[in-house]
Amino acid sequence: MTSSRASLARGLNRLARQPSTELESLQRLWPAVRKQVERKRRHLLRAIPKDDPIRLQVDLLGPIKCASDETLHTQALAYAMDPQTGHQLAKHVVLSLLEFLRSKYPRSGAARVLRTARKAGARISVEPEYRYRVEGFRHKSAARSDIWIEIQGAKRSAVMVLENKIKAAESDGQLSWYERKAAAWCKARGHNRFLLIFLSREGQAATTYEKRRWVALSYLELASVLRKVWVEARPALGAQWLALYVASIMHGVLGINLKRHENFNLVDVQAYLGRRR
């Protein structure tokens, strides 16, 4: 093993000493490329308001050493989505999230759920840590979805299930149980309007599903959605709280720090601002 590593090292050294027209071209072009990137970076930073959540020096979860605590993020997101709390954000978070998912996944059913939620008389109830019985499993009597959202309209209803994963992996069959529960909820009401959301740090696809109905959502996309609500609902009592939570996502979950260039890239910040990649 040692001799093979030494042989590989010698081979790499020989390769590095050989003339390379590609490297020479890159060496000539690199200063101009670097200046262009720095110009874009400065332009982008100037476009971000001074009170933007990404610029905040404090956030919601960092001071209590819970920056990546899935349970606390679930509770915070459920609070933001619940129109019945006192934050005065009304249905803005739910509607903005549905609008984003409709755009990203046109065939996911998000458009139908959005139409139901937009109705003037639609009532939205949000329950974090939602527990229910699992039928037909000998060793599983109860399951718990992270956030269960019911939308009750005058003629139609809809349900959304959000599963939140930052560090933990999916349990075997976990998402399938939630999928069956949502389908049964809709069947009991005579229609089929439900949306299943798999939230994770990088936005990876879910794996333990049955019918490929789960849509992936990254924490960066979530932060962008919440920032949009913050921009549009600045007078609301909960706007400053929402800014602190967005800062928790950007700093604590994603590790993005505008003061350190190595801790963020232009593409991520553009996505956060809602600009096209």
Side-chain angles (χ1 to χ4, degrees):
M1 182 66 70
T2 302
S3 60
S4 62
R5 287 179 178 175
S7 176
L8 176 61
R10 287 193 297 271
L12 290 174
N13 285 332
R14 284 195 301 271
L15 181 62
R17 288 194 296 269
Q18 291 176 1
S20 170
T21 56
E22 290 83 1
L23 288 177
E24 290 173 359
S25 298
L26 180 60
Q27 188 175 21
R28 289 194 302 269
L29 294 174
W30 176 244
V33 172
R34 184 170 60 183
K35 287 181 180 179
Q36 184 180 20
V37 170
E38 286 303 316
R39 279 198 303 270
K40 289 183 177 180
R41 189 189 301 273
R42 288 194 299 270
H43 179 75
L44 184 63
L45 291 179
R46 283 197 297 267
I48 302 174
K50 292 182 179 180
D51 62 343
D52 192 280
I54 199 174
R55 291 190 183 276
L56 294 180
Q57 299 303 303
V58 296
D59 60 61
L60 190 65
L61 301 178
I64 57 175
K65 310 300 182 185
C66 295
S68 299
D69 188 299
E70 288 179 7
T71 300
L72 291 183
H73 277 279
T74 294
Q75 293 291 335
L77 184 54
Y79 171 77
M81 299 178 79
D82 191 349
Q84 300 180 46
T85 60
H87 53 46
Q88 296 182 347
L89 299 172
K91 299 189 290 186
H92 289 319
V93 173
V94 171
L95 295 180
S96 293
L97 179 59
L98 286 170
E99 288 167 359
F100 174 82
L101 293 174
R102 177 192 59 181
S103 176
K104 185 178 181 182
Y105 302 103
R107 307 174 98 181
S108 65
R112 293 186 300 169
V113 177
L114 177 60
R115 285 195 294 270
T116 302
R118 275 181 172 164
K119 299 293 184 182
R123 293 179 291 105
I124 299 176
S125 61
V126 180
E127 186 173 346
E129 311 293 327
Y130 179 76
R131 296 182 65 84
Y132 57 88
R133 290 188 57 80
V134 178
E135 305 295 339
F137 287 84
R138 182 179 303 176
H139 303 297
K140 186 76 175 179
S141 60
R144 175 187 56 78
S145 59
D146 287 327
I147 304 179
W148 179 275
I149 305 163
E150 295 182 5
I151 305 171
Q152 303 282 354
K155 295 182 179 180
R156 292 188 179 275
S157 302
V159 66
M160 298 167 59
V161 181
L162 187 146
E163 183 63 16
N164 178 25
K165 297 293 184 187
I166 298 178
K167 294 181 177 179
E170 302 166 49
S171 300
D172 187 30
Q174 179 183 27
L175 301 187
S176 297
W177 300 328
Y178 305 158
E179 186 176 321
R180 284 195 290 270
K181 181 65 176 179
W185 187 94
C186 289
K187 184 177 180 181
R189 288 154 181 81
H191 51 79
N192 188 30
R193 293 192 176 197
F194 66 90
L195 183 64
L196 309 174
I197 305 167
F198 186 73
L199 172 64
S200 63
R201 187 183 185 280
E202 303 295 340
Q204 66 263 30
T207 58
T208 62
Y209 49 72
E210 282 186 349
K211 298 181 180 180
R212 297 183 179 273
R213 289 180 171 174
W214 289 85
V215 297
L217 178 70
S218 73
Y219 261 90
L220 181 60
E221 292 168 334
L222 173 63
S224 179
V225 168
L226 296 179
R227 179 188 181 272
K228 178 175 180 288
V229 175
W230 171 77
V231 169
E232 296 173 350
R234 298 291 291 275
L237 288 176
Q240 188 56 47
W241 175 91
L242 187 62
L244 290 169
Y245 179 53
V246 173
S248 288
I249 295 175
M250 299 304 290
H251 302 163
V253 178
L254 302 176
I256 295 176
N257 184 347
L258 294 185
K259 290 189 174 182
R260 300 179 61 183
H261 288 186
E262 69 273 16
N263 282 5
F264 78 93
N265 62 60
L266 297 178
V267 173
D268 286 346
V269 177
Q270 287 172 335
Y272 165 75
L273 295 174
R275 301 181 182 182
R276 294 192 176 207
R277 289 177 177 260

